[in-house]
């Protein structure tokens, strides 16, 4: 009698060929970051390209912010002349300049991102160099799954937060993290602590005008519509700018920090503690597509997701001292009660909401009885390809957003684009 031949559901698994936030091909030129006055030198070069970030969003030309909810449209980053921006940086030391790198070639184009989250808005009372009343930034949902759950149900704008309306574009001030660092004790007694009413409002500066002259969009809404180079630029710029906005003091001694190494680091201002160099925090997270012996995919809905029809794959942060494969197995067991066997690597992409690095795996389940934890994961079920397609068509399930790595993991299993 011929013996049955069983194939592993992971046998034909291939690395993910495309990820929207992992497209950068820029030369970081790490060796130049320590050059004295590097930013000003680069800004004086006519080939310098300056892009802007604010509150975790990127600037795009006015009107393009309305495009994030459409398919098959193109978006680009808004840019400013380097020579003008150099003067603005001297006017606003609170703005953070970041040298993203260069593409070489005949033009030798270099890219500089400037975060203007701390630049006070244009209008009455706006004083160059003054700190705004709040530090602008983004709020993460506390878990990897929560960050994905903030994505728009149709995989479009993605990242809309509570209280926002419309798409991911923002022409007004972005969502702010409450902060009192720029307020004095006297502010609590008088709301008119700005310039006297008798003085005319100063003319808005270039960076102040940028707040209203450009649209501001979430990276999750921009990247799927951008070319590969600008998607990479935006990803690096947003990642660094969020870190600078969130970490304003040395985590060791509590002293204020200053940008260093062309924006890729910070230097503690405490000379007595050695003016230590600080680097961006990266939070490793695993995300796993779990399949069983029948090649069914395990999909789950998490409590943090506002759309009740959003279903995705298992994900979670890596614990201290834990390897990636163990994290995959632990998360699946904690969330769904499923035991995993073989685990294979698929790819990775940054997820700067606020600082995650998503590492994707595909794993073979050696048990199939689902027992959700009921707190983080509300429901989970196995689906065949036909069942999943039918659920999508009927609207009973919604796929993860177009910027998420989860979407491409599901497509790898499904065998086609969503």
């Amino acid at each position: 009698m011929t013996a049955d031949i069983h194939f592993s559901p992971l046998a034909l698994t291939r690395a993910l060929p495309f990820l929207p936030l992992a497209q950068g091909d820029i030369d970081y030129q790490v060796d130049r970051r320590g050059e004295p006055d590097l930013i000003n030198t680069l800004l004086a070069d006519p080939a310098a390209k300056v892009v802007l970030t604010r509150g975790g969003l990127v600037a795009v030309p006015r009107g393009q912010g309305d495009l994030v909810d459409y398919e098959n449209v193109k978006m680009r980053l808004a840019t400013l002349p380097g020579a003008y921006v150099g003067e603005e940086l001297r006017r606003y030391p609170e703005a953070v300049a970041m040298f993203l790198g260069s593409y070489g070639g005949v033009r030798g184009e270099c890219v500089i991102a400037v975060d203007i989250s701390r630049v006070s808005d244009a209008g009455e009372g706006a004083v160059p160099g003054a700190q705004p009343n709040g530090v602008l930034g983004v709020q993460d949902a506390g878990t990897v799954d929560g960050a994905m759950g903030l994505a728009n149900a149709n995989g479009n704008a993605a990242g809309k937060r509570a209280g926002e309306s419309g798409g991911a574009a923002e022409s007004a001030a972005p969502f702010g993290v409450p902060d009192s660092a720029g307020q004095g004790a006297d502010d609590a007694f008088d709301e008119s602590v700005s310039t006297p009413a008798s003085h005319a409002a100063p003319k808005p500066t270039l960076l102040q005008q940028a707040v209203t002259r450009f649209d501001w969009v979430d990276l999750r809404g921009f990247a799927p519509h951008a070319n590969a180079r600008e998607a990479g630029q935006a990803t690096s710029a947003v990642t660094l700018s969020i870190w600078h906005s969130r970490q304003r003091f040395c985590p060791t001694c509590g002293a204020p920090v200053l940008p260093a190494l062309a924006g890729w680091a910070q230097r503690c201002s405490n000379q007595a503690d050695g003016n230590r160099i600080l680097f961006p925090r990266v939070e490793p997270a695993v995300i796993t597509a779990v399949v069983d012996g029948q090649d069914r995919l395990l999909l789950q809905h998490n409590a943090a997701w506002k759309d009740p029809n959003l279903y995705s794959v298992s994900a979670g942060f890596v614990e201290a001292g834990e390897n990636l494969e163990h994290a995959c197995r632990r998360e699946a067991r904690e969330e769904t009660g499923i035991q995993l066997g073989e685990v294979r690597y698929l790819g990775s992409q940054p997820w700067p909401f606020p600082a995650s690095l998503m590492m994707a795996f595909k794993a073979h389940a050696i048990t199939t009885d689902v027992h959700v934890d009921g707190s983080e994961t509300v429901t989970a079920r196995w689906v065949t390809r036909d069942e999943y397609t039918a659920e999508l068509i009927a609207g009973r399930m919604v796929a993860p957003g177009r910027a998420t790595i989860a979407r491409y993991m599901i497509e790898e299993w499904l065998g086609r684009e969503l």
Side-chain angles (χ1 to χ4, degrees), residues 92-161:
Y92 294 107
E94 62 269 28
V96 180
M98 301 159 281
F99 172 47
L100 301 185
S102 173
Y103 292 102
V106 177
R107 292 183 59 195
E109 180 184 71
C110 64
V111 184
I112 299 167
V114 176
D115 182 62
I116 61 172
S117 296
R118 299 178 190 274
V119 173
S120 49
D121 293 347
E124 185 175 0
V127 180
Q131 290 287 340
N133 287 336
V135 177
L136 299 172
V138 297
Q139 288 187 341
D140 58 282
T143 68
V144 172
D145 297 344
M148 176 163 41
L150 291 173
N152 177 278
N154 296 318
N156 300 327
K160 289 190 282 189
R161 301 171 183 83

